[in-house]
């Protein structure tokens, strides 16, 4: 499977397993799962045929490990804008986590902190390198340091997805520092 096809399939899966399952006529269960045969049939019915081998390739090679297969089901690890309950237990975060963004967003972030926007959670990275890559998707990256330890001690709840993305409802501005 070439790189272009891999990216195309990954974007298709992200759109329909995280944001718009109804667009191709699939229904995610309460935890975000859908049967693989149902997904493949729906993709084919909507002119986006993909094979099980292509799906397995994308799941196995996605650098962010966005998707997980469990038997005959698939779901996105996190990042949903549709109502799902991933069932992730609360977890104690490391002392610091990181968030990649771009300079035009800083004014709002300084005033309001990090908000989940359309997603269920704010996504945080365990290392600066990952946060830098995340921020670079939208332009020149700026990395914010999140005092996750202090947030946790103050009662904020964190979860960590199977692919290592840390999730929390919001990050108030008092827990943020700009990292140069």
């Amino acid at each position: 499977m070439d790189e272009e096809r891999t990216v195309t399939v990954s974007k298709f899966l992200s759109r329909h397993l995280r944001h718009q399952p109804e667009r191709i006529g699939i229904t995610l269960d309460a935890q975000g799962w859908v049967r693989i045969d149902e997904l493949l049939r729906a993709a084919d019915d909507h002119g986006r045929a993909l094979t099980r081998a292509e799906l397995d390739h994308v799941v196995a090679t996605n650098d962010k490990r966005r998707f997980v297969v469990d038997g005959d089901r698939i779901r996105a690890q996190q990042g949903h804008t549709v109502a799902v309950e991933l069932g992730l237990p609360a977890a104690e975060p490391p002392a610091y986590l990181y968030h990649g963004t771009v300079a035009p967003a800083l004014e709002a972030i300084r005033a309001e902190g990090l908000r989940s926007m359309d997603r269920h959670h704010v996504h945080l990275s365990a290392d600066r390198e990952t946060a830098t890559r995340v921020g670079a998707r939208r332009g020149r990256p700026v990395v914010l340091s999140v005092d996750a330890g202090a947030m946790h001690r103050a009662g904020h709840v964190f979860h960590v997805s199977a692919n290592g993305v840390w999730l929390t409802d919001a990050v108030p501005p008092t827990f943020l520092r700009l990292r140069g």
Side-chain angles (χ1 to χ4, degrees):
M1 190 167 158
D2 68 31
E3 184 63 25
E4 183 179 338
R5 177 68 176 161
T6 300
V7 169
T8 298
V9 171
S10 179
K11 287 182 177 184
F12 176 85
L13 294 175
S14 286
R15 172 178 290 138
H16 299 99
L17 296 178
R18 295 165 88 182
H19 309 298
Q20 298 175 321
E22 75 286 348
R23 190 170 179 171
I24 59 168
I26 62 172
T27 302
L28 306 179
D29 73 11
Q31 292 79 40
W33 296 101
V34 65
R35 290 179 48 89
I36 292 170
D37 59 350
E38 180 184 344
L39 173 66
L40 296 177
R41 189 171 32 259
D44 189 45
D45 289 349
H46 287 81
R48 295 294 200 139
L50 64 129
T51 67
R52 175 64 192 257
E54 288 175 317
L55 183 138
D56 288 341
H57 174 80
V58 168
V59 170
T61 63
N62 185 270
D63 63 339
K64 295 183 179 114
R65 296 181 3 238
R66 283 193 170 115
F67 316 104
V68 62
V69 169
D70 179 30
D72 64 349
R73 308 177 306 163
I74 185 171
R75 79 173 181 184
Q77 297 268 28
Q78 80 279 321
H80 298 82
T81 57
V82 296
V84 296
E85 177 50 57
L86 298 175
L88 300 173
E92 184 172 348
Y96 288 92
L97 292 168
Y98 304 93
H99 183 79
T101 190
V102 290
L106 289 177
E107 185 177 340
I109 291 170
R110 283 187 177 114
E112 303 170 19
L114 297 173
R115 298 178 298 130
S116 62
M117 308 302 280
D118 292 334
R119 295 182 178 191
H120 293 269
H121 297 98
V122 171
H123 293 195
L124 303 170
S125 303
D127 59 79
R128 289 184 50 135
E129 294 77 24
T130 301
T132 300
R133 282 195 307 275
V134 169
R137 292 188 315 215
R138 294 182 21 218
R140 185 168 173 241
V142 175
V143 175
L144 301 171
S145 179
V146 176
D147 191 346
M151 282 183 65
H152 182 69
R153 289 188 298 278
H156 294 267
V157 177
F158 288 83
H159 307 275
V160 62
S161 65
N163 62 347
V165 175
W166 284 87
L167 308 169
T168 192
D169 290 337
V171 179
T174 55
F175 295 103
L176 291 170
R177 281 188 275 147
L178 177 63
R179 299 282 307 235

